[in-house]
Amino acid sequence: MLGWALTFLVVAIIAAVFGFGGIASASAGIAQFLFFVFLLLFVVALVARAVRGKPPV
């Protein structure tokens, strides 16, 4: 999922360089949303691993 967020971020940067403001804005919004979803799932996985009693890696 982090890979998709980075892909949309690169698309947003390239679209902004070429002057496509709408596409750049939409891609940046999607990248931001995917990044926060990834971050949330990462934290949930860390908490679940801690609750189960396994030490963090």
Side-chain angles (χ1 to χ4, degrees):
M1 186 172 301
L2 189 57
W4 280 104
L6 290 174
T7 302
F8 277 107
L9 179 63
V10 169
V11 168
I13 291 171
I14 292 172
V17 167
F18 288 119
F20 298 111
I23 295 172
S25 174
S27 295
I30 293 170
Q32 186 177 13
F33 174 75
L34 288 176
F35 176 74
F36 284 122
V37 169
F38 167 79
L39 200 60
L40 177 71
L41 291 175
F42 179 71
V43 170
V44 168
L46 285 178
V47 170
R49 185 174 177 98
V51 168
R52 288 179 35 185
K54 296 183 179 180
V57 181

